[in-house]
Amino acid sequence: MTQTHDDLTELTELEAQFADRLELTPEAADLLFREARSANSFSDEPVTDEQVRAIYELIKWGPTAMNNQPLRIVLVRSPEARGRLVEHMGGNNKPKTSTAPLVAVLAADDDFHDELPTVFPVFPGARDMLAADDANRRTTADLNAALQAAYFIIGVRAAGLAAGPMTGFDADGVTREFFPDGKHRAFMVVNIGRPGPDAWFDRLPRLGYDEVVTTA
Amino acid sequence: MTQTHDDLTELTELEAQFADRLELTPEAADLLFREARSANSFSDEPVTDEQVRAIYELIKWGPTAMNNQPLRIVLVRSPEARGRLVEHMGGNNKPKTSTAPLVAVLAADDDFHDELPTVFPVFPGARDMLAADDANRRTTADLNAALQAAYFIIGVRAAGLAAGPMTGFDADGVTREFFPDGKHRAFMVVNIGRPGPDAWFDRLPRLGYDEVVTTA
């Protein structure tokens, strides 16, 4: 990704000093976090299934609780499906979702526990424990699918692409359109592609270290 | 991190083929995802505040909805606080949490909306909108704090350290101990350090691409 820092994203002297303590290279830190931005516009360059496959083969290794893997991804490729999706997007998100080279709908699979005998064989009772507790299963799906969504965003950036993650949409509507089985819940839509012209505004401020981290 | 692949983590020919499509270097892909593991034991090497600061200065850039930043982190440094935490950990997690060089408690701040006028000035009504809707505020805190927790795990790995994220603990108990103001909810505990001997079991299987990704 070739992006220029604006004033707010120039590394401060302090940030540069701490960055030296990372094992990750500055180039990778820029690619995944420091220069990466949520794009609001995209170029026409398509995003291929091979690129998405490369992203998945990377981020599938991200850790989850009991190796559960509730995230499901629908790649919205057909114009008809795109139209159905845009219908449920919030007003500001409609133009972005209409024009991004690829749009992915991310959902949590509430039946993820059926995979546990395969993906977490070290605890044979895990599936039945969760099957008996819908509230716990749903909370577990929410948290771990969200972790996996973050890994997915990082993975999109690892592929040299910009992600535009959004939660501003009618989640029940998108769920009905794309997961009619009633066992999934859509929670994020991600625009994916190369950034277009004027793809972002100035960077917004982050909380300071002392506002977030305390010691006990 | 010097880890050896076991049979399950050797890149298959297929995975290697797709990895070529990433812009991220293979070394960084290994550090953050492919060779990184959730450690169950740790060396005695301490984790410094400077390392945690470097992690934060990297991962603070991870995207969230409306640039909200609900994640709060307590570094459990004192033996007294460590004791209070271990008391609430699940049985299997007690020894790990007792011995890790550093343990971090991650919580969602339900009052994150009070920061929105500063961190998301482009939508002046955001704070009041969320102040009037506790359920939406809580759901928003849950999702975005989880995204930030995933960025934190990636950041720990970016610092060359192993993370051991856990959800197996009495969340209400940990919340009472470490966030007595009633406005935060602990949702993850992360052991942090250099891996010790026999730090992990064989890698567990991940779902295949076709089990997770579909096209519409």
Side-chain angles (χ1 to χ4, degrees), chain A residues 146-184:
Chain A
L147 296 178
Q148 292 189 286
Y151 303 145
F152 181 75
I153 292 167
I154 298 290
V156 168
R157 293 168 165 194
L161 299 167
M166 297 168 294
T167 53
F169 58 90
D170 171 6
D172 290 340
V174 171
T175 295
R176 279 194 307 272
E177 291 288 349
F178 292 92
F179 302 95
D181 69 358
K183 295 175 173 177
H184 299 73

Side-chain angles (χ1 to χ4, degrees), chain B residues 85 88-89 105 169-179 186 189:
Chain B
L85 175 62
H88 296 287
M89 300 303 296
V105 178
F169 59 90
D170 171 5
D172 290 339
V174 171
T175 295
R176 278 194 307 272
E177 291 287 350
F178 291 93
F179 302 94
V189 175

Side-chain angles (χ1 to χ4, degrees), chain A residues 24 31 45 51-52 84-85 99 107 124 127 137 160-161 179 209-210 212:
Chain A
L24 193 68
L31 178 70
E45 187 181 326
Q51 286 174 296
V52 180
R84 285 193 287 129
L85 175 61
T99 55
R127 185 193 169 285
R137 200 166 80 245
L161 299 167
F179 302 95
Y209 181 76
D210 294 335
V212 173

